Amino acid sequence: MRLPNDYLERVYAGVLGKLIGVYLGRPFEGWTYQKIMDELGPIEYYVHERLNQPLVVTDDDVAGTFTFIRALEDYGIKPNLSAEEIGKAWLNYIVEERSILWWGGNGNSTEHTAWLNLKKGVPAPHSGSIATNGQGVAEQIGAQIFIDGWAMVAPGQPELAARLAEQAGKVSHDGESVHAAMLWAAMEAEAFVASDIDHLIDTGLKMIPSDSQIAKMIKDVRAWHKAHPDWRDTRQKIQDNYGYDRYPGNCHIMPNHALMIMTVLYAPHDFQKAQMIVNTSGWDTDCNAGNVGCLLGIMNGLESIAEGPDFRGPIADRMLISSADGGNSINDAVRQAYFLTNLGLKLAGQQSLAAPKNGAQFHFSLPGSQQGFRPLTGLDAASGVRVGNTEFEGSRALTIEYEALGPAQSAIVTTPTFSPREMLDMRTYDLMATPLLYSGQTVKARVKGDAQNHGAIEARLRVRVYDGRDQLSDIDGQTVAVQPGSEAVLEWTLPDTGGQPIAEIGIVVTGTGRRADGKLLVDYLRWDGTPKLTLKRPAGDGDFWRMAWVNGASFFSKRFKAAFRIAQNRGEGMIIHGTRQWTDYQASGDVMIHLGNYGGLAIRAQGLRRYYGARVTRDGKMQIVKVRDEDTKVLAETAFKMEFDKHIAMKVSAQGPRITFEADGVSVTAEDTSADALHDGGVGLLIHEGALSSNEIRIGGV
C-alpha cells in the first residue's frame, strides 16, 4: 500500500478538524435549528464564552475516538481486529459512570446499555446487537461518532476502514447506526487519496447494503442538494422527512447523518462554511461537526483550516481524553497524530516514524503546532505576548514573541500537565486524569534567542502546582541568560511539592535591561527519570490531590482520617496514579484492609484490567498476580496471615521482568517474560468487595 507523502500532516489536520468541530458544537448540543437561530444566530465561530462555558472540555466524541483505537495497540496491530477485542478495551479503559460515555441509564444510553452487557459477560458484538437491545436502542448515533481513528489508520483503504469501524460500532450499536459508521469511515479513508465529494460518498455507499435506510436517505439528500442552491432548503427537507420525530430514542443516527451528508455536499472544500452549516443545523452538533471536521481536515489539509477565522489558536492543540489510563488524559493533537500515524504505518507493514527530537514530550514538529502552550496573564505577566511556530534547523520550534519586557514583567507561556481548574465548571463528563510530570524528574528545554532580538533576556522553567486551596502557585527553576542569536539548555530536577499535583509547566522570559523586544525559540521541552515523591493528603482542604487519582472504586472520599480510603461494593475496585512513562520503580506504604477478599497494591497499571497486583488474601495467601482482561494469573504466592484493621507494611517493585512484593517482612518474587508482559504503567490501590486505607504511598527508584 502506497501511503500519501503527507500522511502525518493529513492525520494531524484530521485530528484538529475533529477537535474544532466538537468544541464548536459542544456548548449547544441538542439544540434545534430554530433555537440556535433565535438565540445565537448562524454559528460562524466559537460561542462558548457567550454561554459561559470552557472551550476545551471533556466530551465523549473525543474521549471515545482516541481511546477505543488503542485496542489495536493492546490486541495486535492487525486488520482483523475483532469487536470482542474492542469490547475488552472498553472494560479496561472506561470507568463506570465517570468516563467517556454518556451514562444515561440502561435502555436510555446505548453505550451505557452496551457497557452493562459487557460487564455482565455478554461479549461484543452481542453487547450491542438489535437482538440484545432492540432496534431503537441499537440505532442511535454512537457508532458513528467514534470512528475517525479507524479511518486515519487506514489511509486510502476504505474497505479496511469500514471493516474496523464495523467491528468497533458493533460493540454498542447495530443496524443503520453501524452502516453510517462504516460509510463515513470509508469516506475519511478515501479522503487521503481523493477530494471529489461525490466519489467519497459513492465509495462509502459501496460498503453498506444498497437497500439500507442510510443509502436511501443519502439518495434523497443528494437530490435535494441538486434542486436547492441554498442549504437551508435542504435542511428543511431533512427535518420534514428524516426529523427526530420519526425515530425512537433521543439521538437517532438517521437525522444526524443526513445533516452531515448535506454539509459536505454544500461545502466540500470550505472548512469554515461547513462548520457553520453543520452547527447551525442543530441536533447532535458536537458529534456531527466533529465527524465533518475530521473528514474535511483529512481531505483538504491544514491550509483549509487556516483559510477562515483562527480556529486553531484558542485550542492550541489541547485535548482531554478521560479514561482509566489517566496518564493519557492530558493530551494534544500532535501527540495523537503521531500515535495514529504510527499505527497506520504498522498496519501497512511499514516502519514507524522515529520519535522527534529523541522522544521529547513537546517537540512542536508539525506546522502551527503549540502542544497546549499559551501565554499567561496576571500581575507579573506582560501583555501582547504571542505564541507561534516556525521552521527551525530542519524541523520546527515554538516561538514566544514579546515586546517591552523589563525586570518587572515577564513573558510567560505554559502548557497543561494535569487537570485545569476549569474542569470544575465542565458539565456532563468527568475528567479522569493523573499528572504527566512529577517531583524527582528532570526537565530540560533547549531555547534560542532570535538573532534580531533587541536587548538581553533571561529564561527559566516554571511549574504551577495546586496548593491547599486548589489555587495555582508558581515554582521556578534557575535563571539562564539568553543573548540574541545564542542558545541555552534549561535544566531542572523538580522539587518535592508536598503531595500536590503539578498542573502546568512552562517558560518565563524576563528582560534584564530597560526594554527587550524579540522572540525566543523553544526547540523542545522534555522530562526524564523515575519520580521521587510521597503521595499523601497535603495541607489544606483542596481536592485536586485526590482527583489526581483515577477513581475506579465505588467510594473514595477525603473525609476519612486516612488520606486514601476506598471501598468497593461489587467485584474489584482500584484507584490509579501515574503514567506509562513509569517503567522500573517501587511503591511502598502501610496498607490496612478493613474488609475484603483481597487487597493491596498494583504496579504498572494500564487501566482497570491490565496490571500486576501485589495482594494479600482473606484465605491466607500473599500473591503477585498478572491481570489482563478477564484473566488473572497467579505468578507467585506464599502463605500470609491477613488480619482486618491491621497495618501491613507493603512494598512492590518492578525492574525489567522481575516483580518483587514484600509484606511485613515476607517476600515473594516473580518474573514475567511472556510476549504480553506489562512494561510500564502507574501505581494503584486495590480492594475486592470491601474497604482499604493507607495514609501515604511512596514512589521511588529501584
Short mmCIF file of all heavy atoms in Angstrom, two decimals, residues 350-410:
data_model
loop_
_atom_site.label_atom_id
_atom_site.label_comp_id
_atom_site.label_asym_id
_atom_site.label_seq_id
_atom_site.Cartn_x
_atom_site.Cartn_y
_atom_site.Cartn_z
N GLN A 350 4.79 -1.02 7.28
CA GLN A 350 5.92 -0.12 7.17
C GLN A 350 6.46 0.23 8.55
O GLN A 350 5.83 -0.02 9.57
CB GLN A 350 5.51 1.14 6.41
CG GLN A 350 5.04 0.85 4.98
CD GLN A 350 4.88 2.10 4.15
OE1 GLN A 350 5.49 3.13 4.44
NE2 GLN A 350 4.07 2.02 3.10
N GLN A 351 7.63 0.86 8.54
CA GLN A 351 8.31 1.19 9.79
C GLN A 351 7.71 2.44 10.41
O GLN A 351 7.31 3.37 9.72
CB GLN A 351 9.81 1.40 9.53
CG GLN A 351 10.67 1.40 10.77
CD GLN A 351 12.13 1.24 10.43
OE1 GLN A 351 12.54 1.41 9.29
NE2 GLN A 351 12.94 0.94 11.43
N SER A 352 7.68 2.46 11.74
CA SER A 352 7.15 3.62 12.46
C SER A 352 8.06 4.83 12.26
O SER A 352 9.25 4.70 11.97
CB SER A 352 7.05 3.32 13.95
OG SER A 352 6.18 2.25 14.19
N LEU A 353 7.47 6.00 12.46
CA LEU A 353 8.25 7.23 12.46
C LEU A 353 9.14 7.27 13.69
O LEU A 353 8.75 6.85 14.78
CB LEU A 353 7.34 8.45 12.48
CG LEU A 353 6.39 8.62 11.29
CD1 LEU A 353 5.43 9.77 11.58
CD2 LEU A 353 7.16 8.87 10.01
N ALA A 354 10.34 7.78 13.54
CA ALA A 354 11.21 7.99 14.70
C ALA A 354 10.60 9.07 15.58
O ALA A 354 10.01 10.04 15.10
CB ALA A 354 12.60 8.40 14.25
N ALA A 355 10.73 8.90 16.88
CA ALA A 355 10.21 9.90 17.81
C ALA A 355 10.98 11.20 17.61
O ALA A 355 12.21 11.21 17.68
CB ALA A 355 10.36 9.42 19.25
N PRO A 356 10.30 12.31 17.34
CA PRO A 356 11.00 13.57 17.07
C PRO A 356 11.86 14.01 18.27
O PRO A 356 11.47 13.84 19.42
CB PRO A 356 9.86 14.57 16.84
CG PRO A 356 8.69 13.73 16.44
CD PRO A 356 8.84 12.45 17.21
N LYS A 357 13.03 14.54 17.95
CA LYS A 357 13.91 15.16 18.93
C LYS A 357 14.16 14.23 20.13
O LYS A 357 14.01 14.61 21.29
CB LYS A 357 13.35 16.51 19.37
CG LYS A 357 13.19 17.46 18.18
CD LYS A 357 12.57 18.79 18.52
CE LYS A 357 12.36 19.62 17.25
NZ LYS A 357 11.70 20.92 17.52
N ASN A 358 14.51 12.98 19.79
CA ASN A 358 14.89 11.97 20.79
C ASN A 358 13.79 11.71 21.81
O ASN A 358 14.07 11.43 22.98
CB ASN A 358 16.19 12.37 21.49
CG ASN A 358 17.37 12.41 20.54
OD1 ASN A 358 17.53 11.51 19.72
ND2 ASN A 358 18.18 13.46 20.62
N GLY A 359 12.54 11.79 21.37
CA GLY A 359 11.44 11.43 22.25
C GLY A 359 10.98 12.53 23.18
O GLY A 359 10.28 12.24 24.17
N ALA A 360 11.31 13.78 22.90
CA ALA A 360 10.84 14.89 23.74
C ALA A 360 9.31 14.93 23.75
O ALA A 360 8.68 14.78 22.71
CB ALA A 360 11.39 16.21 23.24
N GLN A 361 8.75 15.14 24.94
CA GLN A 361 7.29 15.19 25.04
C GLN A 361 6.71 16.34 24.23
O GLN A 361 5.64 16.22 23.63
CB GLN A 361 6.86 15.31 26.51
CG GLN A 361 7.01 14.03 27.31
CD GLN A 361 8.41 13.84 27.88
OE1 GLN A 361 9.34 14.56 27.53
NE2 GLN A 361 8.57 12.86 28.76
N PHE A 362 7.39 17.48 24.22
CA PHE A 362 6.95 18.64 23.45
C PHE A 362 8.04 18.97 22.44
O PHE A 362 9.14 19.38 22.83
CB PHE A 362 6.66 19.83 24.37
CG PHE A 362 5.57 19.55 25.38
CD1 PHE A 362 5.85 19.52 26.73
CD2 PHE A 362 4.27 19.31 24.96
CE1 PHE A 362 4.85 19.26 27.66
CE2 PHE A 362 3.26 19.05 25.88
CZ PHE A 362 3.55 19.02 27.23
N HIS A 363 7.73 18.80 21.16
CA HIS A 363 8.74 18.98 20.12
C HIS A 363 8.28 19.91 19.00
O HIS A 363 9.09 20.30 18.16
CB HIS A 363 9.13 17.62 19.53
CG HIS A 363 7.96 16.79 19.12
ND1 HIS A 363 7.29 16.98 17.93
CD2 HIS A 363 7.32 15.77 19.75
CE1 HIS A 363 6.30 16.10 17.84
NE2 HIS A 363 6.28 15.37 18.93
N PHE A 364 7.00 20.24 18.93
CA PHE A 364 6.47 21.28 18.04
C PHE A 364 6.80 21.03 16.57
O PHE A 364 6.97 21.96 15.79
CB PHE A 364 7.00 22.65 18.48
CG PHE A 364 7.03 22.85 19.97
CD1 PHE A 364 8.23 22.91 20.67
CD2 PHE A 364 5.85 22.94 20.69
CE1 PHE A 364 8.26 23.08 22.05
CE2 PHE A 364 5.87 23.10 22.08
CZ PHE A 364 7.07 23.17 22.75
N SER A 365 6.86 19.76 16.17
CA SER A 365 7.39 19.42 14.85
C SER A 365 6.40 19.62 13.70
O SER A 365 6.82 19.60 12.54
CB SER A 365 7.84 17.95 14.85
OG SER A 365 8.86 17.73 15.79
N LEU A 366 5.12 19.78 13.99
CA LEU A 366 4.13 19.90 12.93
C LEU A 366 3.76 21.36 12.71
O LEU A 366 3.76 22.16 13.65
CB LEU A 366 2.89 19.07 13.28
CG LEU A 366 3.14 17.56 13.31
CD1 LEU A 366 1.90 16.81 13.75
CD2 LEU A 366 3.61 17.06 11.94
N PRO A 367 3.43 21.74 11.49
CA PRO A 367 3.18 23.15 11.18
C PRO A 367 2.09 23.76 12.06
O PRO A 367 0.99 23.21 12.19
CB PRO A 367 2.72 23.11 9.71
CG PRO A 367 3.35 21.87 9.16
CD PRO A 367 3.36 20.88 10.28
N GLY A 368 2.43 24.88 12.68
CA GLY A 368 1.47 25.59 13.51
C GLY A 368 1.25 25.01 14.89
O GLY A 368 0.44 25.54 15.66
N SER A 369 1.96 23.94 15.22
CA SER A 369 1.68 23.26 16.48
C SER A 369 2.15 24.07 17.68
O SER A 369 3.18 24.74 17.64
CB SER A 369 2.33 21.87 16.50
OG SER A 369 3.74 21.97 16.40
N GLN A 370 1.35 24.00 18.76
CA GLN A 370 1.69 24.66 20.02
C GLN A 370 1.70 23.70 21.20
O GLN A 370 2.22 24.02 22.26
CB GLN A 370 0.69 25.79 20.31
CG GLN A 370 0.75 26.93 19.33
CD GLN A 370 -0.28 28.02 19.60
OE1 GLN A 370 -0.80 28.64 18.70
NE2 GLN A 370 -0.58 28.25 20.87
N GLN A 371 1.10 22.53 21.04
CA GLN A 371 1.05 21.50 22.07
C GLN A 371 0.61 22.06 23.43
O GLN A 371 1.17 21.73 24.47
CB GLN A 371 2.39 20.78 22.17
CG GLN A 371 2.69 19.96 20.90
CD GLN A 371 3.80 18.96 21.07
OE1 GLN A 371 4.93 19.23 20.68
NE2 GLN A 371 3.50 17.82 21.66
N GLY A 372 -0.39 22.91 23.38
CA GLY A 372 -1.00 23.42 24.60
C GLY A 372 -0.39 24.68 25.16
O GLY A 372 -0.93 25.27 26.10
N PHE A 373 0.75 25.14 24.63
CA PHE A 373 1.42 26.32 25.18
C PHE A 373 0.65 27.59 24.81
O PHE A 373 0.39 27.87 23.64
CB PHE A 373 2.85 26.42 24.67
CG PHE A 373 3.79 25.50 25.39
CD1 PHE A 373 3.94 24.17 25.02
CD2 PHE A 373 4.53 25.97 26.47
CE1 PHE A 373 4.80 23.33 25.69
CE2 PHE A 373 5.41 25.13 27.15
CZ PHE A 373 5.53 23.80 26.76
N ARG A 374 0.32 28.37 25.84
CA ARG A 374 -0.41 29.63 25.67
C ARG A 374 0.15 30.67 26.64
O ARG A 374 0.66 30.33 27.70
CB ARG A 374 -1.90 29.43 25.95
CG ARG A 374 -2.61 28.50 24.97
CD ARG A 374 -4.05 28.29 25.41
NE ARG A 374 -4.11 27.66 26.71
CZ ARG A 374 -5.10 27.83 27.59
NH1 ARG A 374 -6.12 28.62 27.30
NH2 ARG A 374 -5.09 27.19 28.75
N PRO A 375 0.04 31.95 26.30
CA PRO A 375 0.51 32.99 27.21
C PRO A 375 -0.36 33.06 28.46
O PRO A 375 -1.59 32.87 28.40
CB PRO A 375 0.37 34.28 26.39
CG PRO A 375 0.22 33.84 24.98
CD PRO A 375 -0.43 32.50 25.02
N LEU A 376 0.28 33.36 29.59
CA LEU A 376 -0.45 33.61 30.83
C LEU A 376 -0.66 35.10 31.00
O LEU A 376 0.14 35.92 30.53
CB LEU A 376 0.33 33.08 32.04
CG LEU A 376 0.32 31.59 32.33
CD1 LEU A 376 0.97 31.34 33.67
CD2 LEU A 376 -1.08 31.02 32.31
N THR A 377 -1.70 35.44 31.70
CA THR A 377 -1.92 36.83 32.08
C THR A 377 -1.90 36.91 33.60
O THR A 377 -2.15 35.93 34.29
CB THR A 377 -3.27 37.32 31.55
OG1 THR A 377 -4.33 36.50 32.06
CG2 THR A 377 -3.31 37.29 30.03
N GLY A 378 -1.59 38.08 34.13
CA GLY A 378 -1.54 38.24 35.57
C GLY A 378 -0.69 39.43 35.94
O GLY A 378 -0.24 40.21 35.08
N LEU A 379 -0.42 39.57 37.22
CA LEU A 379 0.28 40.75 37.71
C LEU A 379 1.67 40.90 37.12
O LEU A 379 2.10 42.00 36.78
CB LEU A 379 0.36 40.70 39.24
CG LEU A 379 -0.98 40.85 39.99
CD1 LEU A 379 -0.76 40.70 41.49
CD2 LEU A 379 -1.61 42.22 39.67
N ASP A 380 2.42 39.78 37.03
CA ASP A 380 3.79 39.88 36.55
C ASP A 380 3.92 39.45 35.10
O ASP A 380 5.02 39.30 34.58
CB ASP A 380 4.73 39.07 37.42
CG ASP A 380 4.42 37.58 37.38
OD1 ASP A 380 3.28 37.22 37.03
OD2 ASP A 380 5.31 36.77 37.72
N ALA A 381 2.80 39.24 34.41
CA ALA A 381 2.84 38.76 33.04
C ALA A 381 2.64 39.92 32.08
O ALA A 381 1.70 40.71 32.21
CB ALA A 381 1.76 37.71 32.81
N ALA A 382 3.52 40.03 31.10
CA ALA A 382 3.42 41.09 30.11
C ALA A 382 2.24 40.84 29.18
O ALA A 382 1.88 39.69 28.90
CB ALA A 382 4.71 41.17 29.31
N SER A 383 1.65 41.90 28.69
CA SER A 383 0.59 41.77 27.70
C SER A 383 1.21 41.72 26.31
O SER A 383 2.38 42.06 26.11
CB SER A 383 -0.38 42.94 27.81
OG SER A 383 0.30 44.17 27.58
N GLY A 384 0.42 41.30 25.34
CA GLY A 384 0.90 41.27 23.97
C GLY A 384 1.86 40.15 23.66
O GLY A 384 2.51 40.16 22.61
N VAL A 385 1.97 39.16 24.54
CA VAL A 385 2.83 38.00 24.27
C VAL A 385 2.10 37.09 23.28
O VAL A 385 0.91 36.81 23.42
CB VAL A 385 3.15 37.25 25.57
CG1 VAL A 385 3.99 36.00 25.28
CG2 VAL A 385 3.89 38.17 26.54
N ARG A 386 2.82 36.62 22.28
CA ARG A 386 2.23 35.76 21.25
C ARG A 386 3.01 34.46 21.15
O ARG A 386 4.25 34.47 21.19
CB ARG A 386 2.20 36.46 19.90
CG ARG A 386 1.31 37.71 19.89
CD ARG A 386 1.31 38.39 18.53
NE ARG A 386 2.64 38.82 18.13
CZ ARG A 386 3.20 39.95 18.52
NH1 ARG A 386 2.56 40.76 19.35
NH2 ARG A 386 4.41 40.28 18.09
N VAL A 387 2.28 33.37 20.99
CA VAL A 387 2.89 32.05 20.82
C VAL A 387 2.66 31.61 19.38
O VAL A 387 1.55 31.72 18.85
CB VAL A 387 2.29 31.02 21.79
CG1 VAL A 387 2.84 29.62 21.51
CG2 VAL A 387 2.58 31.42 23.23
N GLY A 388 3.71 31.12 18.73
CA GLY A 388 3.61 30.67 17.35
C GLY A 388 4.48 29.47 17.09
O GLY A 388 4.95 28.79 18.02
N ASN A 389 4.72 29.22 15.81
CA ASN A 389 5.50 28.06 15.40
C ASN A 389 6.26 28.44 14.13
O ASN A 389 5.70 29.10 13.25
CB ASN A 389 4.56 26.87 15.15
CG ASN A 389 5.31 25.59 14.81
OD1 ASN A 389 5.79 25.43 13.69
ND2 ASN A 389 5.36 24.67 15.76
N THR A 390 7.52 28.04 14.05
CA THR A 390 8.33 28.41 12.89
C THR A 390 9.27 27.29 12.50
O THR A 390 9.55 26.38 13.30
CB THR A 390 9.15 29.68 13.21
OG1 THR A 390 9.75 30.17 12.01
CG2 THR A 390 10.24 29.40 14.24
N GLU A 391 9.76 27.34 11.26
CA GLU A 391 10.79 26.39 10.83
C GLU A 391 12.07 26.64 11.62
O GLU A 391 12.43 27.78 11.91
CB GLU A 391 11.06 26.56 9.34
CG GLU A 391 9.87 26.17 8.47
CD GLU A 391 10.19 26.27 6.99
OE1 GLU A 391 11.31 26.72 6.65
OE2 GLU A 391 9.32 25.92 6.18
N PHE A 392 12.74 25.52 11.95
CA PHE A 392 13.93 25.65 12.80
C PHE A 392 14.81 24.42 12.63
O PHE A 392 14.39 23.29 12.93
CB PHE A 392 13.51 25.79 14.27
CG PHE A 392 14.65 25.95 15.24
CD1 PHE A 392 15.41 27.11 15.26
CD2 PHE A 392 14.97 24.93 16.13
CE1 PHE A 392 16.47 27.26 16.15
CE2 PHE A 392 16.01 25.08 17.04
CZ PHE A 392 16.77 26.25 17.04
N GLU A 393 16.01 24.63 12.09
CA GLU A 393 17.03 23.58 11.98
C GLU A 393 16.49 22.30 11.36
O GLU A 393 16.71 21.20 11.86
CB GLU A 393 17.63 23.29 13.36
CG GLU A 393 18.37 24.48 13.96
CD GLU A 393 18.98 24.16 15.32
OE1 GLU A 393 18.70 23.06 15.86
OE2 GLU A 393 19.74 25.00 15.84
N GLY A 394 15.76 22.43 10.26
CA GLY A 394 15.23 21.27 9.56
C GLY A 394 13.97 20.70 10.16
O GLY A 394 13.41 19.74 9.63
N SER A 395 13.52 21.26 11.26
CA SER A 395 12.26 20.84 11.87
C SER A 395 11.46 22.10 12.16
O SER A 395 11.41 23.02 11.34
CB SER A 395 12.53 20.03 13.14
OG SER A 395 11.31 19.61 13.74
N ARG A 396 10.85 22.16 13.33
CA ARG A 396 10.08 23.33 13.71
C ARG A 396 10.29 23.60 15.20
O ARG A 396 10.75 22.72 15.94
CB ARG A 396 8.59 23.14 13.41
CG ARG A 396 8.30 22.77 11.97
CD ARG A 396 6.82 22.89 11.64
NE ARG A 396 6.42 24.28 11.55
CZ ARG A 396 6.51 25.03 10.46
NH1 ARG A 396 7.02 24.53 9.35
NH2 ARG A 396 6.11 26.29 10.47
N ALA A 397 9.96 24.81 15.64
CA ALA A 397 10.10 25.18 17.04
C ALA A 397 8.95 26.09 17.44
O ALA A 397 8.32 26.74 16.60
CB ALA A 397 11.43 25.90 17.28
N LEU A 398 8.67 26.12 18.72
CA LEU A 398 7.70 27.06 19.28
C LEU A 398 8.35 28.43 19.36
O LEU A 398 9.55 28.55 19.65
CB LEU A 398 7.29 26.60 20.68
CG LEU A 398 6.12 27.34 21.34
CD1 LEU A 398 4.81 26.84 20.75
CD2 LEU A 398 6.14 27.14 22.85
N THR A 399 7.57 29.46 19.12
CA THR A 399 8.09 30.82 19.25
C THR A 399 7.32 31.58 20.33
O THR A 399 6.10 31.46 20.43
CB THR A 399 7.98 31.60 17.92
OG1 THR A 399 6.61 31.67 17.51
CG2 THR A 399 8.80 30.93 16.84
N ILE A 400 8.06 32.33 21.13
CA ILE A 400 7.47 33.21 22.14
C ILE A 400 7.87 34.63 21.76
O ILE A 400 9.03 35.02 21.91
CB ILE A 400 7.98 32.87 23.55
CG1 ILE A 400 7.73 31.40 23.89
CG2 ILE A 400 7.32 33.77 24.59
CD1 ILE A 400 8.40 30.94 25.17
N GLU A 401 6.92 35.41 21.25
CA GLU A 401 7.19 36.78 20.85
C GLU A 401 6.78 37.73 21.97
O GLU A 401 5.71 37.57 22.56
CB GLU A 401 6.44 37.12 19.56
CG GLU A 401 6.90 36.30 18.37
CD GLU A 401 6.22 36.75 17.09
OE1 GLU A 401 6.24 37.95 16.79
OE2 GLU A 401 5.65 35.87 16.40
N TYR A 402 7.63 38.72 22.23
CA TYR A 402 7.38 39.63 23.35
C TYR A 402 7.78 41.05 22.97
O TYR A 402 8.56 41.27 22.03
CB TYR A 402 8.18 39.17 24.57
CG TYR A 402 9.65 38.97 24.28
CD1 TYR A 402 10.55 40.03 24.36
CD2 TYR A 402 10.13 37.71 23.91
CE1 TYR A 402 11.89 39.86 24.07
CE2 TYR A 402 11.47 37.53 23.61
CZ TYR A 402 12.34 38.60 23.69
OH TYR A 402 13.67 38.43 23.38
N GLU A 403 7.22 42.01 23.70
CA GLU A 403 7.54 43.42 23.49
C GLU A 403 7.72 44.11 24.83
O GLU A 403 7.02 43.80 25.80
CB GLU A 403 6.40 44.12 22.73
CG GLU A 403 6.17 43.61 21.32
CD GLU A 403 4.98 44.29 20.67
OE1 GLU A 403 4.33 45.12 21.35
OE2 GLU A 403 4.70 43.98 19.50
N ALA A 404 8.65 45.05 24.86
CA ALA A 404 8.83 45.95 26.00
C ALA A 404 8.96 45.22 27.33
O ALA A 404 8.38 45.61 28.33
CB ALA A 404 7.66 46.94 26.07
N LEU A 405 9.76 44.16 27.33
CA LEU A 405 9.99 43.44 28.58
C LEU A 405 11.06 44.15 29.41
O LEU A 405 12.11 44.54 28.89
CB LEU A 405 10.46 42.01 28.32
CG LEU A 405 9.44 40.99 27.84
CD1 LEU A 405 10.08 39.61 27.80
CD2 LEU A 405 8.21 40.98 28.72
N GLY A 406 10.78 44.28 30.69
CA GLY A 406 11.77 44.76 31.64
C GLY A 406 11.82 43.83 32.83
O GLY A 406 11.17 42.78 32.85
N PRO A 407 12.56 44.17 33.85
CA PRO A 407 12.68 43.29 35.03
C PRO A 407 11.36 43.08 35.76
O PRO A 407 11.20 42.08 36.46
CB PRO A 407 13.70 44.02 35.91
CG PRO A 407 14.44 44.94 34.99
CD PRO A 407 13.46 45.34 33.94
N ALA A 408 10.40 44.00 35.60
CA ALA A 408 9.17 43.90 36.39
C ALA A 408 8.11 43.01 35.75
O ALA A 408 7.17 42.57 36.42
CB ALA A 408 8.58 45.29 36.62
N GLN A 409 8.22 42.76 34.42
CA GLN A 409 7.21 41.94 33.75
C GLN A 409 7.89 40.88 32.92
O GLN A 409 9.01 41.04 32.44
CB GLN A 409 6.31 42.80 32.88
CG GLN A 409 5.27 43.60 33.66
CD GLN A 409 4.19 44.12 32.74
OE1 GLN A 409 4.50 44.70 31.70
NE2 GLN A 409 2.93 43.92 33.10
N SER A 410 7.14 39.78 32.74
CA SER A 410 7.71 38.62 32.04
C SER A 410 6.74 38.12 30.99
O SER A 410 5.51 38.25 31.11
CB SER A 410 7.99 37.49 33.03
OG SER A 410 8.88 37.91 34.05
#
